[in-house]
Amino acid sequence: QVQLVESGGGLVQPGGSLRLSCAASGVIGSIYVMGWYRQAPGKQRELVASITSGGSTNYGDFVKGRFTISRDNAKNTAYVQMNSLKPEDTAIYYCNVRLRIGASPLWGQGTQVTVSS
């Protein structure tokens, strides 16, 4: 059974940085795409960033160069480095994985990111 373990959330001041990690266990072979979504109170869940096994990346429009996603295929782990954080980045961040093309997404339990002074 595939399990996703997220880490790295927390409280940070505006302008600060955080690095989120998502480690997938119980996976045979490589993972097609790994990524992060976020959901703030009263808002829809939205894409933060995603990366394929080949290294192709996709970012939410709000990122504007502040975040960088990467992955270690040998460890089935994805990272998102978040810089220049703003209060509006406050949300629960969810790891999202698609094992194969066309597969249903798997979700982590979420990790809280709070940007506040």
Side-chain angles (χ1 to χ4, degrees), residues 4-21:
L4 304 177
V5 178
E6 300 149 326
S7 60
L11 173 64
V12 64
Q13 292 187 340
S17 299
L18 283 175
R19 187 193 193 211
L20 305 183
S21 299

Side-chain angles (χ1 to χ4, degrees), residues 59-76:
Y59 291 93
D61 290 340
F62 63 88
V63 170
K64 299 186 187 303
R66 299 182 297 131
F67 300 174
T68 302
I69 191 168
S70 60
R71 64 187 282 176
D72 184 333
N73 289 330
K75 297 181 179 179
N76 281 331

Side-chain angles (χ1 to χ4, degrees), residues 17-94:
S17 299
L18 283 175
R19 187 193 193 211
L20 305 183
S21 299
C22 173
S25 62
V27 177
I28 298 175
S30 64
I31 297 173
Y32 169 54
V33 62
M34 303 183 73
W36 292 90
Y37 284 71
R38 71 182 189 182
Q39 188 166 20
K43 295 188 176 182
Q44 290 187 332
R45 192 170 294 191
E46 61 181 349
L47 172 71
V48 176
S50 65
I51 184 168
T52 68
S53 57
S56 296
T57 59
N58 190 28
Y59 291 93
D61 290 340
F62 63 88
V63 170
K64 299 186 187 303
R66 299 182 297 131
F67 300 174
T68 302
I69 191 168
S70 60
R71 64 187 282 176
D72 184 333
N73 289 330
K75 297 181 179 179
N76 281 331
T77 299
Y79 310 93
V80 60
Q81 177 68 42
M82 305 188 296
N83 299 327
S84 302
L85 285 163
K86 307 173 183 179
E88 51 263 44
D89 292 317
T90 296
I92 300 176
Y93 284 67
Y94 296 91

